[in-house]
Amino acid sequence: MGIFWDLLQQEELDKQQAQADSVEDRVAILETELENTKALLRKTLEALETHLNKDIDGDGVAG
């Protein structure tokens, strides 16, 4: 029975490692998406400030 128990434990460890790897991959993808979203938001805000000629984000500069 010992070998079967070892196999079950190893299978569970492999499963948990695969889940951890997929979580790490997903976090990396989400971090990249967040960076891209922030850059797009910044460009949109700058365009809006330029269009309205008004400081919206409070940095003292319109545009």
Side-chain angles (χ1 to χ4, degrees), residues 18-46:
Q19 287 175 340
D21 290 344
S22 66
V23 168
E24 289 174 4
D25 293 342
R26 184 68 182 141
V27 168
I29 291 168
L30 289 172
E31 287 174 341
T32 301
E33 288 178 0
L34 175 60
E35 185 178 318
N36 293 339
T37 301
K38 288 171 75 174
L40 178 61
L41 181 58
R42 185 81 209 149
K43 288 179 184 179
T44 303
L45 180 60
E46 289 172 1

Side-chain angles (χ1 to χ4, degrees), residues 1-62:
M1 173 121 181
I3 193 162
F4 293 115
W5 181 249
D6 290 343
L7 286 172
L8 286 173
Q9 287 181 322
Q10 187 60 46
E11 181 182 349
E12 186 62 30
L13 289 172
D14 291 344
K15 180 181 169 185
Q16 288 177 0
Q17 184 62 47
Q19 287 175 340
D21 290 344
S22 66
V23 168
E24 289 174 4
D25 293 342
R26 184 68 182 141
V27 168
I29 291 168
L30 289 172
E31 287 174 341
T32 301
E33 288 178 0
L34 175 60
E35 185 178 318
N36 293 339
T37 301
K38 288 171 75 174
L40 178 61
L41 181 58
R42 185 81 209 149
K43 288 179 184 179
T44 303
L45 180 60
E46 289 172 1
L48 183 58
E49 285 186 345
T50 300
H51 178 73
L52 296 176
N53 196 25
K54 183 177 180 180
D55 179 26
I56 296 173
D57 63 0
D59 65 355
V61 179

